[in-house]
């Protein structure tokens, strides 16, 4: 799959919280691309200097949930068929 997009990250930022939409192409699933994309989501959120990432994952999307847990997210709550994962990001000093 070299040179072919395998997924995407869409990140909506509201205040100091980032809400990601992470997608992996069906043909690319099961090959650790989800872990890589969630990792890139964290890097992007850090660059944007947000304090927290909150992601809703359908309960039946077990692989997606595992990606977020492996990246350090914790399940905050379950609502209407979704687990809501949260990752608090380390404070970034603005001192030079």
């Amino acid at each position: 799959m070299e040179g072919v997009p395998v997924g995407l990250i869409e990140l909506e930022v509201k205040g100091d919280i980032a809400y990601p939409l992470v997608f992996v192409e069906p043909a690319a699933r099961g090959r650790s691309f989800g872990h890589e994309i969630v990792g890139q989501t964290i890097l992007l959120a850090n660059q944007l200097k947000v304090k927290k990432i909150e992601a809703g994952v359908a309960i039946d999307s077990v692989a997606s949930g595992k990606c977020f847990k492996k990246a350090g997210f914790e399940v905050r709550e379950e609502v209407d068929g979704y687990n809501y994962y949260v990752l608090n990001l380390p404070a970034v000093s603005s001192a030079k």
Side-chain angles (χ1 to χ4, degrees):
M1 300 202 77
E2 192 169 324
V4 177
V6 295
L8 66 86
I9 304 165
E10 183 177 306
L11 202 58
E12 180 178 356
V13 177
K14 292 183 179 179
D16 57 3
I17 302 174
Y19 301 92
L21 170 63
V22 175
F23 176 77
V24 177
E25 288 289 341
R29 293 180 185 164
R31 297 177 20 196
S32 297
F33 290 117
H35 296 290
E36 179 66 26
I37 291 172
V38 170
Q40 291 298 316
T41 301
I42 295 168
L43 289 174
L44 179 58
N46 275 317
Q47 290 172 355
L48 295 172
K49 297 181 171 60
V50 299
K51 294 181 181 177
K52 184 183 336 184
I53 304 171
E54 295 184 5
V57 177
I59 289 172
D60 63 351
S61 186
V62 176
S64 295
K66 286 181 180 179
C67 287
F68 282 97
K69 281 185 178 179
K70 185 175 181 179
F73 284 74
E74 295 181 0
V75 177
R76 182 186 66 203
E77 62 185 337
E78 177 187 322
V79 178
D80 296 328
Y82 285 84
N83 282 324
Y84 287 88
Y85 291 83
V86 176
L87 179 67
N88 292 307
L89 298 173
V92 178
S93 173
S94 59
K96 292 183 180 181

